[in-house]
Amino acid sequence: LIGEVDGEPVATVSAVRYGHSFGFIGFYIVKPACRGRGYGLRIWQAAQARLAGRLAGLDGVLAQEANYRRTGFILAYQNTRHQGTGGGPAPADPDIMPAAALPWADLRAYDRPFFPDDRERFLHAWLNQPGHTALAIRRRGALAGYGVLRPCRTGHKIGPLFADDSELAERLFLALKARAPAGDAVFLDTPAANPAAAALAQRHGLTAVFATVRMYTGAPPPLPLDRIFGVTSFELG
């Protein structure tokens, strides 16, 4: 959504509906010169109206946690953004392959527990965006994790990074990191609820540079946080 004053955009917010029961709010921005005039509140209310009747989530900056609480959001946990550099040798790993080489039904089924509602349409677009690299890893022939490397305005981000354990996540991380241009910035967003994810980032020289609070309008959904080593997106959930 875009808020305009006399035809000029002054505010934005996204309110994405997933399945029938979940939504996620992001890109909540008001031009600095236009703050304090109620424009942010109006576009925020419009976003909430689009998600009425659904559990809604967001990743907000720490300084705004109290404001989100006042609009009905409840803290679930923090996320931390880690920054490092791309490149490096790609590990020779016969268990890692392009995600596109696997049956779509297998990828969709693997992703489903990691999100509060069905996101098949989003997932298909996310894995196939131009410039995105999606890799999967198998253990004893069964899908045991996948991850995506995507270009950003600055560098590349790895997200999501889902795996059955930290050893698999590390192998996927190294394979994705190697596909970023050498020396380019690489980012990984990890949930504090999975300390093994932050430990993975630290082992490979990534530094914490930013944090958010994951909040929901109700009880946090029962996600397998111990298998989330990289958040899909602070803006889209």
Side-chain angles (χ1 to χ4, degrees):
L1 304 175
I2 298 177
E4 295 182 342
V5 176
D6 297 327
E8 177 191 355
V10 299
T12 64
V13 71
S14 62
V16 183
R17 294 183 291 220
Y18 293 96
H20 299 287
S21 65
F22 185 64
F24 203 85
I25 293 178
F27 298 107
Y28 181 37
I29 305 167
V30 179
K31 282 186 175 181
C34 298
R35 293 173 185 170
R37 305 182 191 179
Y39 302 144
L41 177 60
R42 288 172 62 185
I43 201 166
W44 176 262
Q45 290 171 337
Q48 288 192 300
R50 284 183 64 84
L51 302 183
R54 297 167 178 259
L55 176 69
L58 61 79
D59 278 311
V61 297
L62 274 60
Q64 294 298 318
E65 179 184 344
N67 288 333
Y68 293 130
R69 283 183 183 275
R70 282 193 285 271
T71 61
F73 283 81
I74 302 167
L75 175 67
Y77 51 85
Q78 286 193 11
N79 290 311
T80 302
R81 173 160 294 163
H82 303 268
Q83 179 177 347
T85 54
D93 195 328
D95 293 322
I96 293 179
M97 67 214 66
L102 297 175
W104 174 247
D106 292 354
L107 282 169
R108 181 188 181 190
Y110 188 84
D111 181 79
R112 184 64 188 86
F114 294 96
F115 208 71
D117 204 330
D118 180 74
R119 62 172 183 174
E120 180 179 12
R121 291 173 60 195
F122 168 85
L123 186 65
H124 188 272
W126 193 253
L127 269 60
N128 293 286
Q129 283 285 335
H132 286 210
T133 298
L135 299 178
I137 189 167
R138 293 188 294 192
R139 172 182 279 162
R140 293 186 290 275
L143 181 58
Y146 84 92
V148 178
L149 175 78
R150 68 186 190 274
C152 302
R153 288 184 64 186
T154 300
H156 286 69
K157 290 179 185 174
I158 294 174
L161 180 61
F162 300 153
D164 289 354
D165 60 39
S166 59
E167 186 263 340
L168 293 167
E170 187 157 25
R171 290 159 62 188
L172 266 176
F173 170 81
L174 290 173
L176 291 164
K177 176 178 173 291
R179 284 163 171 78
D184 199 10
V186 167
F187 301 90
L188 179 70
D189 301 333
T190 66
N194 182 6
L200 184 158
Q202 292 163 5
R203 279 197 302 276
H204 295 284
L206 279 68
T207 303
V209 295
F210 181 65
T212 69
V213 281
R214 171 62 62 90
M215 305 181 78
Y216 296 99
T217 52
L223 307 179
L225 295 170
D226 61 326
R227 295 196 288 140
I228 297 178
F229 293 85
V231 177
T232 301
S233 161
F234 284 166
E235 295 77 26
L236 299 170

